[in-house]
Amino acid sequence: MMNYTDDIFMKRAIELAREAAKQGEVPVGAIVVKSGEIVAEAYNNREQEQNAIGHAEIIAINNACEKLGSWRLSGCTLYVTLEPCPMCAGAIINSRIDRIVYGAKDEKAGCCGSVVNLFAMPFNHRPVITQGICEEECQKLMSDFFISIRNKKNNENYADNCEKQI
């Protein structure tokens, strides 16, 4: 169920995703909202920190728990630019977040229905899922990022080949 603020909060998550891309990170941004206020926000930092759990959702959930003084994030909505992976879906279940709003589907690791829907399993908590908010913009961020990575690698390979010929 989309409400009028979903676009506004997703736009902030997109701003965070753009910041991640500037840092050389996969462009994923996430925010946790409670009672209409942002209580935490984050973007991917896996490359920068060299930490496998450096996903935007995990960092935002951790920051929200610290700010709210509880591991239970009941009453909160998580906005994220990319469909959560298995690790992030587990954190969402364990933190008791009420609702997830995401932009782009993740056909390789998405756990809100693209690969599997972990929230349909008989866990003790099942958040409400809203998908496709600002989907085109979120998907374009991902596509553009990976195109730039491939182009950079191709240019490096070309330069290496030129050096070998000299």
Side-chain angles (χ1 to χ4, degrees):
M1 171 179 86
M2 183 182 148
N3 64 46
Y4 69 96
T5 59
D6 286 347
D7 281 343
I8 294 166
F9 288 126
M10 186 60 75
K11 293 291 186 189
R12 177 61 186 145
I14 290 168
E15 289 174 12
L16 293 164
R18 289 186 204 287
E19 185 59 35
K22 288 178 191 172
Q23 304 292 326
E25 299 284 348
V26 174
V28 178
I31 63 172
V32 177
V33 173
K34 185 169 187 171
S35 302
E37 299 290 326
I38 297 173
V39 295
E41 53 184 37
Y43 55 81
N44 278 4
N45 72 3
R46 188 167 58 170
E47 296 299 327
Q48 185 177 355
E49 297 294 323
Q50 287 299 298
N51 188 329
I53 63 171
H55 288 203
E57 301 96 306
I58 298 291
I59 300 165
I61 288 168
N62 185 57
N63 293 344
C65 290
E66 287 179 11
K67 182 165 185 178
L68 297 174
S70 176
W71 62 268
R72 290 180 184 90
L73 298 179
S74 300
C76 291
T77 298
L78 174 72
Y79 290 84
V80 61
T81 56
L82 184 66
E83 180 179 2
C85 73
M87 174 180 67
C88 295
I92 291 163
I93 291 167
N94 284 310
S95 65
R96 311 297 196 268
I97 289 174
D98 288 345
R99 183 170 173 248
I100 305 159
V101 179
Y102 72 88
K105 291 183 179 183
D106 185 349
E107 301 294 337
K108 294 182 179 179
C111 286
C112 296
S114 290
V115 175
V116 68
N117 185 352
L118 283 182
F119 304 115
M121 304 289 206
F123 292 110
N124 62 335
H125 178 72
R126 292 187 190 131
V128 173
I129 301 168
T130 302
Q131 63 185 27
I133 304 301
C134 303
E135 182 174 14
E136 288 179 18
E137 191 172 356
C138 293
Q139 187 60 51
K140 185 170 176 15
L141 271 171
M142 296 299 289
S143 298
D144 289 352
F145 177 78
F146 286 109
I147 287 169
S148 73
I149 295 292
R150 282 191 294 277
N151 287 341
K152 184 178 178 186
K153 284 183 182 178
N154 288 340
N155 288 338
E156 288 171 0
N157 289 339
Y158 177 76
D160 288 345
N161 288 336
C162 288
E163 284 181 18
K164 290 176 185 173
Q165 292 175 5
I166 295 176

